[in-house]
Short mmCIF file of all heavy atoms in Angstrom, two decimals:
data_model
loop_
_atom_site.label_atom_id
_atom_site.label_comp_id
_atom_site.label_asym_id
_atom_site.label_seq_id
_atom_site.Cartn_x
_atom_site.Cartn_y
_atom_site.Cartn_z
N LEU A 13 78.61 94.83 99.54
CA LEU A 13 79.04 95.87 98.61
C LEU A 13 80.54 96.08 98.61
O LEU A 13 81.03 97.17 98.36
CB LEU A 13 78.34 97.20 98.94
CG LEU A 13 76.93 97.29 98.39
CD1 LEU A 13 76.23 98.53 98.94
CD2 LEU A 13 76.93 97.35 96.86
N HIS A 15 82.88 96.10 100.96
CA HIS A 15 83.54 96.93 101.97
C HIS A 15 84.41 96.09 102.89
O HIS A 15 84.05 94.98 103.26
CB HIS A 15 82.52 97.71 102.79
CG HIS A 15 81.89 98.82 102.00
ND1 HIS A 15 80.69 98.69 101.37
CD2 HIS A 15 82.34 100.07 101.73
CE1 HIS A 15 80.41 99.81 100.73
NE2 HIS A 15 81.39 100.66 100.93
N GLY A 20 87.24 100.13 100.68
CA GLY A 20 86.64 99.41 99.56
C GLY A 20 85.48 100.18 98.96
O GLY A 20 85.49 101.41 98.88
N GLY A 21 84.43 99.46 98.55
CA GLY A 21 83.26 100.11 97.97
C GLY A 21 83.40 100.34 96.48
O GLY A 21 84.17 99.65 95.79
N ARG A 22 82.64 101.32 96.01
CA ARG A 22 82.52 101.52 94.57
C ARG A 22 82.36 103.01 94.29
O ARG A 22 81.30 103.58 94.54
CB ARG A 22 81.27 100.76 94.12
CG ARG A 22 81.27 100.27 92.71
CD ARG A 22 80.01 99.46 92.46
NE ARG A 22 80.28 98.03 92.39
CZ ARG A 22 79.33 97.10 92.35
NH1 ARG A 22 78.07 97.43 92.41
NH2 ARG A 22 79.65 95.82 92.28
N PHE A 23 83.41 103.64 93.80
CA PHE A 23 83.40 105.07 93.46
C PHE A 23 83.74 105.19 91.97
O PHE A 23 84.91 105.33 91.60
CB PHE A 23 84.43 105.83 94.31
CG PHE A 23 84.14 105.79 95.79
CD1 PHE A 23 84.52 104.71 96.55
CD2 PHE A 23 83.46 106.84 96.40
CE1 PHE A 23 84.24 104.66 97.92
CE2 PHE A 23 83.18 106.80 97.76
CZ PHE A 23 83.57 105.71 98.52
N VAL A 24 82.71 105.08 91.14
CA VAL A 24 82.94 105.04 89.69
C VAL A 24 81.85 105.81 88.97
O VAL A 24 80.77 106.03 89.52
CB VAL A 24 82.92 103.59 89.15
CG1 VAL A 24 84.12 102.80 89.64
CG2 VAL A 24 81.62 102.89 89.51
N PRO A 25 82.11 106.20 87.72
CA PRO A 25 81.04 106.78 86.91
C PRO A 25 79.87 105.81 86.80
O PRO A 25 80.07 104.59 86.71
CB PRO A 25 81.70 107.00 85.54
CG PRO A 25 83.15 107.11 85.83
CD PRO A 25 83.41 106.21 87.00
N GLU A 26 78.68 106.37 86.79
CA GLU A 26 77.45 105.56 86.71
C GLU A 26 77.48 104.59 85.53
O GLU A 26 76.94 103.48 85.61
CB GLU A 26 76.25 106.52 86.62
CG GLU A 26 74.89 105.87 86.50
CD GLU A 26 74.45 105.10 87.74
OE1 GLU A 26 74.97 105.37 88.84
OE2 GLU A 26 73.60 104.20 87.59
N ALA A 27 78.15 105.00 84.44
CA ALA A 27 78.20 104.15 83.24
C ALA A 27 78.77 102.77 83.52
O ALA A 27 78.49 101.81 82.79
CB ALA A 27 79.03 104.84 82.15
N LEU A 28 79.58 102.63 84.57
CA LEU A 28 80.24 101.35 84.84
C LEU A 28 79.47 100.45 85.80
O LEU A 28 79.83 99.29 85.99
CB LEU A 28 81.65 101.60 85.41
CG LEU A 28 82.62 102.28 84.46
CD1 LEU A 28 83.97 102.46 85.14
CD2 LEU A 28 82.79 101.47 83.17
N ILE A 29 78.43 100.99 86.43
CA ILE A 29 77.74 100.22 87.46
C ILE A 29 77.18 98.91 86.91
O ILE A 29 77.34 97.84 87.51
CB ILE A 29 76.59 101.05 88.09
CG1 ILE A 29 77.17 102.24 88.86
CG2 ILE A 29 75.72 100.18 88.99
CD1 ILE A 29 77.94 101.88 90.09
N GLU A 33 78.16 95.19 88.25
CA GLU A 33 77.15 94.26 88.79
C GLU A 33 77.16 92.94 88.02
O GLU A 33 77.07 91.87 88.61
CB GLU A 33 75.76 94.93 88.76
CG GLU A 33 75.64 96.02 89.81
CD GLU A 33 74.31 96.75 89.78
OE1 GLU A 33 73.57 96.62 88.79
OE2 GLU A 33 74.02 97.48 90.76
N THR A 169 99.72 110.75 79.57
CA THR A 169 99.15 111.73 80.50
C THR A 169 99.75 111.56 81.89
O THR A 169 100.26 110.50 82.24
CB THR A 169 97.62 111.57 80.59
OG1 THR A 169 97.33 110.21 80.87
CG2 THR A 169 96.96 111.95 79.28
N LYS A 175 99.55 104.53 87.45
CA LYS A 175 98.35 105.28 87.83
C LYS A 175 97.62 105.81 86.59
O LYS A 175 96.39 105.72 86.49
CB LYS A 175 98.77 106.44 88.74
CG LYS A 175 97.73 107.52 88.92
CD LYS A 175 98.27 108.61 89.85
CE LYS A 175 98.86 109.81 89.13
NZ LYS A 175 97.87 110.69 88.49
N ASP A 176 98.38 106.35 85.66
CA ASP A 176 97.78 106.96 84.48
C ASP A 176 97.32 105.90 83.49
O ASP A 176 96.36 106.11 82.75
CB ASP A 176 98.80 107.93 83.86
CG ASP A 176 99.27 108.91 84.92
OD1 ASP A 176 98.51 109.82 85.25
OD2 ASP A 176 100.36 108.70 85.47
N ASN A 179 93.93 105.09 84.63
CA ASN A 179 92.98 106.12 84.19
C ASN A 179 92.55 105.89 82.75
O ASN A 179 91.36 105.96 82.41
CB ASN A 179 93.60 107.52 84.31
CG ASN A 179 93.77 107.97 85.76
OD1 ASN A 179 93.12 107.44 86.65
ND2 ASN A 179 94.63 108.94 85.97
N GLU A 180 93.52 105.63 81.88
CA GLU A 180 93.21 105.44 80.46
C GLU A 180 92.37 104.18 80.25
O GLU A 180 91.45 104.16 79.43
CB GLU A 180 94.49 105.35 79.62
CG GLU A 180 95.04 106.68 79.14
CD GLU A 180 94.00 107.62 78.55
OE1 GLU A 180 93.38 107.31 77.51
OE2 GLU A 180 93.80 108.69 79.15
N MET A 182 90.31 102.90 82.36
CA MET A 182 88.95 103.17 82.82
C MET A 182 88.18 104.01 81.81
O MET A 182 86.98 103.80 81.60
CB MET A 182 88.97 103.84 84.20
CG MET A 182 89.36 102.83 85.28
SD MET A 182 89.28 103.45 86.97
CE MET A 182 87.53 103.40 87.29
N ARG A 183 88.86 104.94 81.14
CA ARG A 183 88.19 105.74 80.10
C ARG A 183 87.78 104.85 78.93
O ARG A 183 86.69 105.01 78.36
CB ARG A 183 89.11 106.87 79.62
CG ARG A 183 89.33 107.93 80.68
CD ARG A 183 90.23 109.08 80.18
NE ARG A 183 90.55 109.95 81.31
CZ ARG A 183 91.77 110.15 81.80
NH1 ARG A 183 92.82 109.58 81.23
NH2 ARG A 183 91.94 110.93 82.84
N VAL A 186 84.71 102.86 80.15
CA VAL A 186 83.49 103.67 80.17
C VAL A 186 82.88 103.73 78.77
O VAL A 186 81.67 103.70 78.59
CB VAL A 186 83.79 105.10 80.69
CG1 VAL A 186 82.63 106.04 80.41
CG2 VAL A 186 84.08 105.08 82.18
N THR A 187 83.75 103.80 77.75
CA THR A 187 83.30 103.96 76.37
C THR A 187 82.86 102.63 75.74
O THR A 187 81.91 102.59 74.96
CB THR A 187 84.44 104.58 75.53
OG1 THR A 187 84.90 105.75 76.21
CG2 THR A 187 83.98 104.95 74.14
N VAL A 189 82.15 99.53 77.33
CA VAL A 189 81.85 98.55 78.37
C VAL A 189 80.95 97.41 77.89
O VAL A 189 81.03 96.29 78.41
CB VAL A 189 81.25 99.29 79.60
CG1 VAL A 189 79.90 99.90 79.27
CG2 VAL A 189 81.16 98.39 80.81
N THR A 283 97.49 108.44 103.44
CA THR A 283 96.33 108.72 104.29
C THR A 283 95.08 108.15 103.61
O THR A 283 95.06 107.99 102.39
CB THR A 283 96.13 110.24 104.48
OG1 THR A 283 96.22 110.88 103.20
CG2 THR A 283 97.20 110.83 105.39
N GLY A 285 91.77 107.75 101.59
CA GLY A 285 91.17 108.54 100.52
C GLY A 285 90.61 107.62 99.45
O GLY A 285 90.60 106.40 99.63
N VAL A 286 90.16 108.21 98.36
CA VAL A 286 89.57 107.44 97.27
C VAL A 286 90.42 107.61 96.02
O VAL A 286 90.76 108.73 95.64
CB VAL A 286 88.12 107.89 97.00
CG1 VAL A 286 87.58 107.27 95.72
CG2 VAL A 286 87.22 107.53 98.18
N LEU A 287 90.78 106.50 95.42
CA LEU A 287 91.50 106.52 94.14
C LEU A 287 91.08 105.31 93.33
O LEU A 287 90.99 104.20 93.86
CB LEU A 287 93.03 106.51 94.37
CG LEU A 287 93.90 106.42 93.11
CD1 LEU A 287 93.74 107.66 92.24
CD2 LEU A 287 95.37 106.24 93.47
N HIS A 288 90.83 105.52 92.03
CA HIS A 288 90.52 104.43 91.12
C HIS A 288 89.38 103.56 91.63
O HIS A 288 89.44 102.33 91.60
CB HIS A 288 91.76 103.59 90.82
CG HIS A 288 92.78 104.35 90.02
ND1 HIS A 288 94.14 104.19 90.18
CD2 HIS A 288 92.63 105.30 89.07
CE1 HIS A 288 94.78 104.98 89.34
NE2 HIS A 288 93.89 105.67 88.66
N ARG A 291 88.01 103.12 98.28
CA ARG A 291 88.58 103.88 99.39
C ARG A 291 89.65 103.04 100.07
O ARG A 291 89.41 101.88 100.42
CB ARG A 291 87.52 104.28 100.41
CG ARG A 291 88.11 105.14 101.53
CD ARG A 291 87.12 105.49 102.63
NE ARG A 291 86.14 106.47 102.21
CZ ARG A 291 84.84 106.25 102.11
NH1 ARG A 291 84.37 105.06 102.40
NH2 ARG A 291 84.02 107.19 101.74
N GLN A 296 98.43 111.43 98.77
CA GLN A 296 97.66 112.58 98.30
C GLN A 296 98.09 113.84 99.03
O GLN A 296 98.68 113.78 100.10
CB GLN A 296 96.16 112.32 98.52
CG GLN A 296 95.80 112.06 99.98
CD GLN A 296 94.32 111.78 100.19
OE1 GLN A 296 93.49 112.28 99.45
NE2 GLN A 296 94.00 110.99 101.21
N ASP A 297 97.72 114.98 98.42
CA ASP A 297 98.05 116.26 99.06
C ASP A 297 96.83 116.79 99.82
O ASP A 297 95.81 116.12 99.93
CB ASP A 297 98.60 117.26 98.03
CG ASP A 297 97.53 117.75 97.06
OD1 ASP A 297 96.32 117.52 97.28
OD2 ASP A 297 97.92 118.39 96.05
N ALA A 298 96.96 118.01 100.32
CA ALA A 298 95.92 118.59 101.18
C ALA A 298 94.60 118.80 100.44
O ALA A 298 93.55 118.89 101.07
CB ALA A 298 96.41 119.92 101.76
N ASN A 299 94.64 118.86 99.09
CA ASN A 299 93.43 119.04 98.31
C ASN A 299 92.86 117.73 97.77
O ASN A 299 91.93 117.75 96.96
CB ASN A 299 93.69 120.00 97.15
CG ASN A 299 93.64 121.45 97.61
OD1 ASN A 299 92.64 121.90 98.16
ND2 ASN A 299 94.74 122.17 97.43
N GLY A 300 93.46 116.60 98.19
CA GLY A 300 92.96 115.33 97.70
C GLY A 300 93.46 114.97 96.31
O GLY A 300 92.92 114.07 95.67
N GLN A 301 94.48 115.69 95.84
CA GLN A 301 95.09 115.33 94.56
C GLN A 301 96.09 114.20 94.80
O GLN A 301 96.87 114.25 95.75
CB GLN A 301 95.83 116.53 93.94
CG GLN A 301 94.99 117.80 93.86
CD GLN A 301 93.84 117.70 92.86
OE1 GLN A 301 93.79 116.79 92.05
NE2 GLN A 301 92.91 118.64 92.96
N THR A 302 96.09 113.22 93.90
CA THR A 302 97.01 112.11 94.04
C THR A 302 98.44 112.61 93.82
O THR A 302 98.71 113.37 92.89
CB THR A 302 96.69 111.02 93.00
OG1 THR A 302 95.29 110.77 93.03
CG2 THR A 302 97.44 109.75 93.29
N PHE B 52 86.17 121.40 89.78
CA PHE B 52 87.29 121.25 90.73
C PHE B 52 88.31 120.37 90.02
O PHE B 52 88.06 119.18 89.83
CB PHE B 52 86.78 120.57 92.01
CG PHE B 52 87.71 120.66 93.20
CD1 PHE B 52 87.18 120.87 94.47
CD2 PHE B 52 89.09 120.53 93.07
CE1 PHE B 52 88.02 120.95 95.59
CE2 PHE B 52 89.92 120.61 94.18
CZ PHE B 52 89.38 120.81 95.44
N PRO B 53 89.44 120.93 89.58
CA PRO B 53 90.39 120.11 88.83
C PRO B 53 90.92 118.98 89.69
O PRO B 53 91.16 119.17 90.88
CB PRO B 53 91.51 121.10 88.47
CG PRO B 53 91.44 122.15 89.52
CD PRO B 53 89.98 122.27 89.88
N TYR B 54 91.10 117.81 89.06
CA TYR B 54 91.51 116.61 89.82
C TYR B 54 92.58 115.86 89.04
O TYR B 54 92.57 115.83 87.82
CB TYR B 54 90.27 115.73 90.04
CG TYR B 54 90.53 114.44 90.78
CD1 TYR B 54 91.21 114.43 92.00
CD2 TYR B 54 90.11 113.21 90.27
CE1 TYR B 54 91.45 113.25 92.68
CE2 TYR B 54 90.33 112.02 90.95
CZ TYR B 54 91.01 112.05 92.16
OH TYR B 54 91.24 110.87 92.83
N SER B 55 93.48 115.26 89.78
CA SER B 55 94.64 114.60 89.18
C SER B 55 94.27 113.35 88.38
O SER B 55 95.02 112.96 87.49
CB SER B 55 95.64 114.22 90.27
OG SER B 55 94.99 113.47 91.30
N ASP B 56 93.15 112.72 88.68
CA ASP B 56 92.81 111.46 88.03
C ASP B 56 91.36 111.44 87.52
O ASP B 56 90.54 110.67 87.98
CB ASP B 56 93.05 110.31 89.02
CG ASP B 56 94.52 110.22 89.39
OD1 ASP B 56 95.27 109.59 88.63
OD2 ASP B 56 94.91 110.83 90.40
N PRO B 57 91.08 112.31 86.52
CA PRO B 57 89.69 112.48 86.06
C PRO B 57 89.27 111.42 85.05
O PRO B 57 89.34 111.62 83.84
CB PRO B 57 89.72 113.87 85.42
CG PRO B 57 91.12 114.03 84.91
CD PRO B 57 92.01 113.21 85.82
N VAL B 58 88.77 110.28 85.55
CA VAL B 58 88.50 109.15 84.65
C VAL B 58 87.27 109.35 83.77
O VAL B 58 87.09 108.61 82.81
CB VAL B 58 88.35 107.83 85.43
CG1 VAL B 58 89.66 107.47 86.12
CG2 VAL B 58 87.22 107.90 86.44
N MET B 59 86.43 110.35 84.08
CA MET B 59 85.26 110.60 83.22
C MET B 59 85.55 111.64 82.15
O MET B 59 84.68 111.97 81.36
CB MET B 59 84.09 111.11 84.09
CG MET B 59 82.95 110.12 84.32
SD MET B 59 82.29 109.32 82.87
CE MET B 59 81.08 110.54 82.33
N ASP B 60 86.78 112.17 82.12
CA ASP B 60 87.06 113.28 81.21
C ASP B 60 87.97 112.88 80.06
O ASP B 60 88.93 112.13 80.23
CB ASP B 60 87.69 114.44 81.99
CG ASP B 60 86.65 115.16 82.83
OD1 ASP B 60 85.62 115.57 82.26
OD2 ASP B 60 86.85 115.28 84.04
N GLN B 65 90.98 117.04 80.55
CA GLN B 65 92.20 116.58 81.24
C GLN B 65 93.30 117.63 81.15
O GLN B 65 93.97 117.95 82.15
CB GLN B 65 92.75 115.31 80.60
CG GLN B 65 92.03 114.03 80.91
CD GLN B 65 92.65 112.87 80.13
OE1 GLN B 65 93.86 112.69 80.11
NE2 GLN B 65 91.82 112.10 79.47
N LEU B 72 95.73 122.85 87.83
CA LEU B 72 96.50 122.39 89.00
C LEU B 72 97.87 123.05 89.02
O LEU B 72 98.36 123.42 90.09
CB LEU B 72 96.62 120.86 88.98
CG LEU B 72 95.32 120.10 89.27
CD1 LEU B 72 95.50 118.60 89.03
CD2 LEU B 72 94.84 120.35 90.70
N THR B 76 95.45 125.59 91.78
CA THR B 76 94.05 125.55 92.19
C THR B 76 93.78 124.48 93.23
O THR B 76 94.18 123.33 93.07
CB THR B 76 93.16 125.28 90.96
OG1 THR B 76 93.47 126.24 89.96
CG2 THR B 76 91.68 125.38 91.34
N GLY B 77 93.12 124.87 94.29
CA GLY B 77 92.65 123.95 95.33
C GLY B 77 91.25 124.34 95.72
O GLY B 77 90.59 125.14 95.01
N ALA B 78 90.79 123.84 96.85
CA ALA B 78 89.42 124.10 97.28
C ALA B 78 89.15 125.60 97.43
O ALA B 78 88.07 126.09 97.07
CB ALA B 78 89.15 123.38 98.59
N ALA B 79 90.12 126.35 97.94
CA ALA B 79 89.91 127.79 98.15
C ALA B 79 89.62 128.50 96.83
O ALA B 79 88.72 129.36 96.75
CB ALA B 79 91.14 128.41 98.82
N TRP B 101 85.04 112.74 93.78
CA TRP B 101 84.72 112.60 95.19
C TRP B 101 85.89 112.87 96.14
O TRP B 101 85.72 113.47 97.20
CB TRP B 101 84.13 111.21 95.47
CG TRP B 101 83.83 111.01 96.92
CD1 TRP B 101 84.46 110.17 97.79
CD2 TRP B 101 82.85 111.72 97.69
NE1 TRP B 101 83.92 110.30 99.04
CE2 TRP B 101 82.93 111.24 99.00
CE3 TRP B 101 81.92 112.72 97.39
CZ2 TRP B 101 82.11 111.71 100.03
CZ3 TRP B 101 81.10 113.19 98.40
CH2 TRP B 101 81.20 112.70 99.70
N ASN B 102 87.10 112.43 95.78
CA ASN B 102 88.17 112.50 96.78
C ASN B 102 88.46 113.91 97.31
O ASN B 102 88.70 114.07 98.50
CB ASN B 102 89.46 111.85 96.28
CG ASN B 102 90.41 111.54 97.43
OD1 ASN B 102 90.00 111.00 98.44
ND2 ASN B 102 91.66 111.94 97.28
N PRO B 103 88.43 114.95 96.47
CA PRO B 103 88.64 116.29 97.03
C PRO B 103 87.60 116.66 98.10
O PRO B 103 87.93 117.37 99.06
CB PRO B 103 88.54 117.20 95.80
CG PRO B 103 89.00 116.34 94.67
CD PRO B 103 88.43 114.97 94.99
N GLU B 105 86.05 114.45 100.11
CA GLU B 105 86.36 113.65 101.30
C GLU B 105 87.56 114.24 102.04
O GLU B 105 87.60 114.27 103.27
CB GLU B 105 86.64 112.21 100.87
CG GLU B 105 86.69 111.26 102.04
CD GLU B 105 86.40 109.82 101.65
OE1 GLU B 105 85.32 109.54 101.10
OE2 GLU B 105 87.27 108.97 101.89
N ARG B 106 88.53 114.73 101.28
CA ARG B 106 89.73 115.30 101.88
C ARG B 106 89.41 116.62 102.60
O ARG B 106 89.96 116.91 103.65
CB ARG B 106 90.76 115.53 100.77
CG ARG B 106 92.13 115.91 101.26
CD ARG B 106 92.83 114.71 101.88
NE ARG B 106 94.21 115.06 102.22
CZ ARG B 106 94.84 114.56 103.27
NH1 ARG B 106 94.25 113.72 104.07
NH2 ARG B 106 96.09 114.92 103.50
N PRO B 127 80.55 113.11 89.69
CA PRO B 127 80.48 112.09 88.64
C PRO B 127 80.97 110.70 89.05
O PRO B 127 80.66 109.74 88.35
CB PRO B 127 81.38 112.66 87.53
CG PRO B 127 82.29 113.61 88.21
CD PRO B 127 81.50 114.18 89.37
N ASP B 128 81.72 110.58 90.14
CA ASP B 128 82.17 109.23 90.52
C ASP B 128 81.68 108.83 91.90
O ASP B 128 82.17 107.86 92.48
CB ASP B 128 83.70 109.12 90.44
CG ASP B 128 84.41 110.00 91.46
OD1 ASP B 128 83.77 110.94 92.00
OD2 ASP B 128 85.60 109.76 91.72
N LEU B 129 80.67 109.55 92.42
CA LEU B 129 80.08 109.14 93.69
C LEU B 129 78.82 108.33 93.39
O LEU B 129 77.87 108.84 92.81
CB LEU B 129 79.72 110.36 94.55
CG LEU B 129 79.06 110.03 95.89
CD1 LEU B 129 80.04 109.30 96.82
CD2 LEU B 129 78.53 111.29 96.57
N THR B 130 78.83 107.06 93.78
CA THR B 130 77.64 106.24 93.56
C THR B 130 76.65 106.49 94.70
O THR B 130 77.03 106.89 95.80
CB THR B 130 78.01 104.75 93.52
OG1 THR B 130 78.73 104.40 94.70
CG2 THR B 130 78.88 104.45 92.31
N GLU B 132 75.26 104.38 96.43
CA GLU B 132 75.53 103.45 97.53
C GLU B 132 76.53 104.03 98.53
O GLU B 132 76.56 103.64 99.68
CB GLU B 132 76.08 102.12 96.98
CG GLU B 132 75.05 101.27 96.25
CD GLU B 132 74.80 101.72 94.81
OE1 GLU B 132 75.46 102.66 94.35
OE2 GLU B 132 73.91 101.13 94.16
N GLU B 133 77.39 104.94 98.07
CA GLU B 133 78.43 105.51 98.94
C GLU B 133 78.03 106.90 99.43
O GLU B 133 78.88 107.68 99.89
CB GLU B 133 79.77 105.59 98.18
CG GLU B 133 80.27 104.25 97.62
CD GLU B 133 80.74 103.29 98.71
OE1 GLU B 133 80.93 103.71 99.86
OE2 GLU B 133 80.90 102.09 98.39
N VAL B 151 74.78 111.71 87.94
CA VAL B 151 74.76 111.45 86.50
C VAL B 151 74.03 110.13 86.24
O VAL B 151 74.26 109.15 86.95
CB VAL B 151 76.20 111.37 85.95
CG1 VAL B 151 76.18 111.09 84.44
CG2 VAL B 151 76.96 112.66 86.24
N ILE B 152 73.17 110.14 85.24
CA ILE B 152 72.55 108.90 84.75
C ILE B 152 73.22 108.58 83.40
O ILE B 152 73.40 109.46 82.57
CB ILE B 152 71.03 109.08 84.52
CG1 ILE B 152 70.30 109.28 85.86
CG2 ILE B 152 70.46 107.91 83.75
CD1 ILE B 152 69.99 108.02 86.62
N ALA B 153 73.60 107.32 83.23
CA ALA B 153 74.24 106.90 81.98
C ALA B 153 73.26 106.09 81.15
O ALA B 153 72.30 105.53 81.69
CB ALA B 153 75.47 106.06 82.29
N SER B 155 73.61 103.28 80.19
CA SER B 155 73.63 101.89 80.67
C SER B 155 72.91 101.72 82.00
O SER B 155 72.78 100.58 82.48
CB SER B 155 75.08 101.41 80.81
OG SER B 155 75.76 102.18 81.78
N THR B 156 72.47 102.81 82.63
CA THR B 156 71.76 102.67 83.91
C THR B 156 70.48 101.87 83.69
O THR B 156 69.68 102.19 82.81
CB THR B 156 71.41 104.06 84.48
OG1 THR B 156 72.62 104.81 84.63
CG2 THR B 156 70.74 103.94 85.84
N ARG B 160 67.51 100.40 88.43
CA ARG B 160 68.36 101.27 89.23
C ARG B 160 67.98 102.75 89.10
O ARG B 160 68.15 103.54 90.03
CB ARG B 160 69.81 101.06 88.79
CG ARG B 160 70.82 101.92 89.53
CD ARG B 160 72.25 101.60 89.07
NE ARG B 160 73.20 102.52 89.68
CZ ARG B 160 73.69 102.38 90.90
NH1 ARG B 160 73.32 101.36 91.64
NH2 ARG B 160 74.54 103.27 91.40
N VAL B 164 68.53 106.38 91.64
CA VAL B 164 69.49 107.47 91.42
C VAL B 164 68.76 108.80 91.28
O VAL B 164 69.15 109.81 91.89
CB VAL B 164 70.36 107.20 90.17
CG1 VAL B 164 71.39 108.32 89.99
CG2 VAL B 164 71.07 105.85 90.27
N MET B 178 77.76 106.69 76.09
CA MET B 178 78.73 105.95 76.88
C MET B 178 80.11 106.47 76.48
O MET B 178 80.56 106.26 75.36
CB MET B 178 78.62 104.46 76.59
CG MET B 178 77.29 103.85 77.01
SD MET B 178 77.01 103.97 78.79
CE MET B 178 78.14 102.69 79.36
N GLY B 179 80.76 107.16 77.39
CA GLY B 179 82.08 107.67 77.05
C GLY B 179 82.47 108.79 77.97
O GLY B 179 81.80 109.06 78.96
N VAL B 180 83.57 109.46 77.61
CA VAL B 180 84.11 110.53 78.43
C VAL B 180 83.71 111.87 77.84
O VAL B 180 83.16 111.94 76.73
CB VAL B 180 85.65 110.42 78.53
CG1 VAL B 180 86.03 109.14 79.26
CG2 VAL B 180 86.29 110.45 77.14
#
Side-chain angles (χ1 to χ4, degrees):
Chain A
L13 279 171
H15 288 96
R22 208 176 254 171
F23 297 83
V24 291
E26 179 67 22
L28 296 180
I29 294 292
E33 288 177 346
T169 52
K175 164 180 97 73
D176 306 284
N179 289 340
E180 273 314 296
M182 287 185 77
R183 291 182 188 116
V186 166
T187 309
V189 66
T283 47
V286 170
L287 176 65
H288 292 145
R291 183 184 287 116
Q296 58 181 330
D297 70 12
N299 279 303
Q301 308 293 346
T302 312
Chain B
F52 195 140
Y54 178 52
S55 53
D56 297 276
V58 296
M59 253 310 274
D60 286 306
Q65 283 177 49
L72 290 172
T76 306
W101 178 248
N102 197 47
E105 192 157 302
R106 189 73 174 146
D128 66 342
L129 179 66
T130 54
E132 289 80 3
E133 303 289 346
V151 179
I152 292 278
S155 63
T156 303
R160 179 177 174 82
V164 182
M178 295 298 285
V180 295

